[in-house]
């Protein structure tokens, strides 16, 4: 009996089972212990293969692929700390709902806790963060193939969101020519190999019922809060709120067109908050809100009912409102709860929003970080998409910009970390094939610098704008101690990114005016491949502009 051959056949069943649940993208890191999984994936023609030498980036690449494809994405890594590097992407997927299938190769049990090389305790390594976890046994013909495939089907079929961790121990030898070992074991699955269906089909959908009293509530004074949703859903939500005559507070990830722009500014105005206090019901469609003032208002508002609609399970409401938590796709929920044409009930807020927008336009004329955030809709590629980084840049775009309704916007706003942002953006581009604009800060870019290797394979124009404000300027908005702020919070690195772009053979520009930026973007959108554009800006401009406009708008 050839151990290496049976390892391969065992792994082939695992990978084939994934195809029956919609997995098309497989992300693979180099490693020896994962050889059976890697070769099984390479031989399966159903897969699109992606490779990266950094497991942390690989996990985020898979996350980006899953965001756009709306299908589960598989990741294959070797044993040891390679597994631990998947943790950040796994946590993010658990909070935002993308489905990741983490196939982690492992040493067999007799090599654990005895000093063997690259052997760590991998069972349960991710604690409660995966939605599900499977610890498979060492491959053996004593276990029928039907057990393996039905075990996988049961887990994959019930995975509605988040990650499935499948730990796969393999004994040596891992290499060798294939022989007949295990052919009868595989053949026991019979016609399954020629079909495209799972061996075991599970029905585990969960959706909230239609709210029968909606016809009563839609006649009341309501507010719509739009969080993270798809581009198509964003347009539907905007039309729905307009028909109801309810004010729509749109997050940067809502893709609603933000009919009342600069919400993070005007929500700091007492007149706006007083008017919103008249609302009898708040309907939040989509979780994950960005703006600080929006979160503050959301935490303190006290309507008679607070409804939160999102396709993912869990409370998703840090303010713990009295109301209803409704699990549903947003577009399907809107179809079940139609709007009724009514006149708008708010009077002050539309005017406050217009004034805030005009003040922002005047304040953001100069070439600056705040100016980029305000003007960002001018620079979006046609038929493309936007990926927004975390920390200060996403807050400025949320507060100062007005993005087109239905234009795809992506971000990692679950755990809101800065790790893996470039890798995630690379996955977003690969899954869609669309021209992509991504914007991150300098520390975020440094944190994921080796992900620039992934951008060399961009199939369409890809522009990465690195806003270099020399450090974590988000901490300028927080009451961090002044004397320790620079050393322990901002951590300026005094770097520039021309050499990084050159190392990975990316086009590079460092514009110093709006005209120069527009020229660089025009050239970038005309050519396939990636371009890195570095905007070196005044360190404190973005944070100070936000604080200045907040003070102005609060006094309107």
């Amino acid at each position: 009996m050839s151990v290496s051959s049976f390892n391969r056949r065992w792994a082939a069943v695992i990978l084939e089972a994934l195809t029956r649940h919609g997995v098309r993208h497989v992300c693979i890191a180099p490693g020896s212990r994962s050889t059976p999984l890697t070769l099984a994936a390479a031989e399966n023609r159903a897969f699109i293969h992606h490779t990266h030498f950094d497991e942390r980036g690989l996990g985020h690449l898979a996350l980006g692929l899953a965001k756009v494809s709306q299908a589960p994405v598989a990741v294959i890594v070797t044993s040891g700390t390679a597994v631990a590097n998947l943790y950040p992407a796994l946590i993010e997927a658990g909070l935002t709902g993308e489905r990741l299938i983490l196939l982690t190769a492992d040493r067999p049990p007799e090599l654990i806790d005895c000093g063997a090389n690259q052997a760590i305790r991998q069972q349960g390594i991710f604690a409660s963060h995966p939605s599900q976890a499977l610890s498979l046994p060492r491959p053996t013909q004593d276990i029928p193939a039907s057990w393996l495939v039905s075990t996988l089907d049961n887990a994959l079929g019930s995975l509605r969101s988040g990650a499935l961790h499948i730990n796969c121990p393999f004994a040596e030898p891992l290499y060798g020519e294939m022989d007949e070992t295990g052919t009868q074991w595989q053949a026991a699955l019979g016609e399954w190999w020629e079909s495209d269906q799972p061996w075991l089909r599970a029905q585990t959908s969960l959706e909230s019922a239609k709210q029968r009293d909606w016809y009563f509530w839609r006649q009341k004074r309501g507010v719509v809060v739009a969080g993270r949703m798809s581009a198509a859903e964003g347009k539907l939500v905007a039309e729905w709120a307009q028909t109801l005559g309810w004010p729509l507070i749109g997050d940067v990830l809502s893709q609603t067109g933000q009919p009342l722009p600069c919400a993070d500014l005007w929500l700091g105005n007492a007149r706006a908050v007083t008017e919103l206090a008249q609302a009898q019901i708040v309907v939040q469609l989509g979780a994950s809100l960005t703006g600080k003032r929006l979160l503050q208002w959301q935490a303190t508002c006290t309507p008679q009912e607070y409804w939160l609609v999102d396709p993912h399970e869990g409370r998703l409401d840090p303010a713990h409102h009295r109301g209803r938590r409704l699990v549903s796709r947003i577009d399907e929920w809107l179809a079940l709860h139609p709007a009724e044409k009514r006149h708008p009930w708010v009077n002050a807020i539309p005017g406050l929003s217009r004034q805030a927008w005009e003040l922002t336009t005047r304040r953001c004329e100069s070439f600056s970080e705040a100016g980029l955030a305000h003007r960002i809709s001018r620079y979006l590629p046609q038929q493309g998409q936007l990926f927004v980084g975390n920390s200060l840049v996403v807050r400025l775009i949320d507060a100062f910009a007005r993005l087109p309704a239905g234009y795809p916007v992506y971000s990692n706003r679950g755990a809101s970390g800065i790790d893996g942002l470039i890798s995630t953006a690379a996955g977003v581009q690969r899954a869609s094939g669309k021209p992509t604009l991504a914007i991150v800060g300098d520390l975020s870019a440094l944190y994921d610098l080796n992900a620039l290797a992934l951008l060399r394979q961009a199939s369409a124009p890809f522009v990465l704008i690195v806003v270099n404000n020399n450090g974590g300027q988000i901490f300028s908005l927080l009451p961090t101690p002044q004397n320790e702020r620079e050393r322990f919070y901002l951590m300026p690195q005094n770097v520039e990114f021309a050499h990084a772009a050159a190392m990975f053979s990316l086009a590079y520009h460092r514009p110093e005016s709006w005209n120069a930026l527009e020229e660089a973007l025009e050239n970038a959108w005309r050519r396939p491949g990636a371009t890195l554009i570095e905007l070196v800006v005044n360190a404190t401009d973005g944070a100070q502009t936000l604080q200045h406009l907040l003070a102005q708008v609060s006094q309107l």
Side-chain angles (χ1 to χ4, degrees), residues 116-186:
N117 181 52
Q118 207 170 322
I120 67 172
R121 298 186 207 105
Q122 293 179 196
Q123 293 188 27
I125 189 172
F126 299 124
S128 62
H129 291 286
S131 296
Q132 297 184 55
L134 285 177
S135 291
L136 297 180
R138 176 216 307 258
T140 172
Q141 294 190 60
D142 294 335
I143 297 175
S146 58
W147 174 88
L148 178 59
V149 72
S150 62
T151 299
L152 294 165
D153 283 341
N154 185 61
L156 291 162
S158 58
L159 183 68
R160 291 188 290 271
S161 65
L164 166 61
H165 175 211
I166 306 175
N167 198 55
C168 308
F170 293 105
E172 294 182 352
L174 301 167
Y175 306 97
E177 295 297 322
M178 290 292 289
D179 60 23
E180 297 302 309
T181 303
T183 53
Q184 290 185 338
W185 178 86
Q186 276 190 330

Side-chain angles (χ1 to χ4, degrees), residues 391-407:
S391 296
L392 186 58
V393 64
V394 70
R395 287 170 171 82
L396 294 182
I397 291 176
D398 183 69
F400 298 160
R402 188 175 191 180
L403 298 170
Y407 193 90

